[in-house]
Amino acid sequence: MASKVKHRKDSFFNLYFTTTISIALVLLTIGFTAYLMLFTNKIGVETRENLAVSIVLKDGISESQQGRIEKYIKTVPFIKDVSYVSKEQALSEHIEAFGEDPLEILDYNPIQASYEIKLQSQYTHPDSVKWIADKVKAFEGVVDVVFEKDMLESISQNLKRITLILMVTAILLLIISVALISNTIKISVYSKRFIINTMKLVGAKPWFIRKPFVLRHLLNGILAAVVSLSMLCGILYWLQVEVGESMNLFQLDILLPVVLIVVVLATIITVLSSVFGVNRYLRMKTDDLYYI
């Protein structure tokens, strides 16, 4: 008798252990995909915001003209950062970059002063930058507005392509994940179908019958979320060791949303799957339970 009880306990443990691990692996896939989407988006934002736009000033520009330009670019909301590059500083940077001094050939400094501006990420699309350049060019004393148009277009197109691929992948994984987790929980509930039927026959209310199954699988879902997030952190730690300090993979503004996504999905899917799974056997007649 004792051996039968022990066997049942072992089977019960193995069932829920298998269920938890299965759900955890599915959640790990979702969590990693969500992390990639958020990380890619952040890298894209930082890359676009670091692209400089040069406002080239006319030689001999008056203080009042320069003052109006500076006041404008420092007050508009679409500009994130502004720095002034004098003719002397621009010449020094040119010599350092190209190894040649124009003064030796021309006897004067041909490089003009400029303002180097960096835009907010939402204004770094090619059309937005062109609109900003046209507004700045309208100021007297501005010779030209220079920016890497081809690079901006390349970054925008690549980010759109990567985001689209990740979104489609995430949607497909979500559908597959819901199906896998739901089927895993249904198998678990299936093994208790006769217990559900017995409770129904003795007059137990549907909510009373559902409650232990919902709580059990909710606990499984939360435990699976913890396991999947632990595995995700392990993967990120391994990747961090491989890439070194050049890139920080443990960023709270990315990890916290991923944790929230995984926990919320685990909670919703396990609760709904438990409710639907139990409801199926609540609607069945006793004789039908032997033929499924």
Side-chain angles (χ1 to χ4, degrees):
M1 183 69 178
S3 62
K4 288 184 178 180
V5 173
K6 184 177 183 301
H7 176 70
R8 287 178 181 175
K9 287 183 178 179
D10 291 341
S11 299
F12 180 84
F13 174 78
N14 290 334
L15 174 64
Y16 283 103
F17 176 79
T18 304
T19 302
T20 302
I21 295 301
S22 300
I23 295 173
L25 292 174
V26 174
L27 292 175
L28 172 63
T29 306
I30 294 177
F32 191 69
T33 304
Y35 177 89
L36 286 178
M37 288 185 65
L38 294 171
F39 188 79
T40 301
N41 181 68
K42 185 172 183 179
I43 292 296
V45 168
E46 292 177 351
T47 301
R48 292 199 301 267
E49 288 185 344
N50 284 327
L51 287 175
V53 177
S54 298
I55 302 173
V56 183
L57 303 177
K58 182 176 66 175
D59 285 339
I61 184 173
S62 67
E63 290 185 5
S64 60
Q65 291 173 342
Q66 186 170 342
R68 284 195 293 271
I69 296 169
E70 185 169 334
K71 181 180 179 181
Y72 176 77
I73 61 179
K74 285 187 175 180
T75 55
V76 289
F78 47 77
I79 294 179
K80 181 182 179 182
D81 184 59
V82 178
S83 60
Y84 176 69
V85 181
S86 65
K87 289 176 65 68
E88 294 73 19
Q89 183 182 345
L91 177 63
S92 176
E93 291 176 356
H94 177 87
I95 295 172
E96 184 178 348
F98 298 99
E100 58 181 26
D101 188 351
L103 289 174
E104 296 177 355
I105 303 173
L106 302 174
D107 293 329
Y108 71 94
N109 182 4
I111 304 176
Q112 295 160 301
S114 65
Y115 283 103
E116 300 291 324
I117 63 173
K118 293 181 180 178
L119 304 173
Q120 300 287 354
S121 62
Q122 60 267 36
Y123 293 96
T124 54
H125 299 285
D127 292 339
S128 300
V129 178
K130 185 178 181 304
W131 173 77
I132 293 170
D134 291 339
K135 290 183 74 66
V136 175
K137 284 179 183 178
F139 281 89
E140 189 176 357
V142 174
V143 177
D144 197 8
V145 177
V146 181
F147 62 94
E148 295 287 345
K149 183 179 178 181
D150 292 339
M151 183 179 293
L152 275 174
E153 290 178 347
S154 177
I155 291 173
S156 297
Q157 291 174 1
N158 289 334
L159 284 175
K160 285 180 182 178
R161 192 177 298 114
I162 293 171
T163 302
L164 179 62
I165 293 172
L166 288 175
M167 283 185 65
V168 171
T169 303
I171 292 171
L172 290 175
L173 284 175
L174 183 59
I175 295 171
I176 295 170
S177 301
V178 170
L180 288 174
I181 293 175
S182 179
N183 288 334
T184 301
I185 291 176
K186 284 179 181 178
I187 292 172
S188 175
V189 175
Y190 172 81
S191 64
K192 304 292 185 296
R193 65 192 185 281
F194 289 108
I195 296 176
I196 294 172
N197 185 66
T198 302
M199 294 174 72
K200 182 178 72 173
L201 293 176
V202 298
K205 298 292 184 180
W207 66 266
F208 183 82
I209 299 173
R210 295 188 196 102
K211 183 178 178 180
F213 289 93
V214 171
L215 292 177
R216 165 60 66 178
H217 289 111
L218 176 60
L219 179 63
N220 273 3
I222 294 174
L223 181 59
V226 172
V227 172
S228 66
L229 290 170
S230 299
M231 290 191 289
L232 177 60
C233 287
I235 293 172
L236 293 178
Y237 176 77
W238 175 76
L239 291 174
Q240 184 69 74
V241 172
E242 291 296 315
V243 300
E245 297 180 358
S246 59
M247 187 178 294
N248 181 20
L249 301 180
F250 288 92
Q251 302 180 44
L252 285 180
D253 56 341
I254 295 177
L255 289 176
L256 289 180
V258 171
V259 171
L260 184 62
I261 289 170
V262 170
V263 172
V264 169
L265 280 178
T267 302
I268 293 174
I269 296 174
T270 52
V271 169
L272 291 180
S273 298
S274 300
V275 171
F276 291 144
V278 173
N279 284 349
R280 181 188 180 194
Y281 300 112
L282 285 175
R283 292 192 295 266
M284 282 188 177
K285 296 180 180 179
T286 303
D287 293 342
D288 294 336
L289 296 175
Y290 294 94
Y291 299 103
I292 57 174

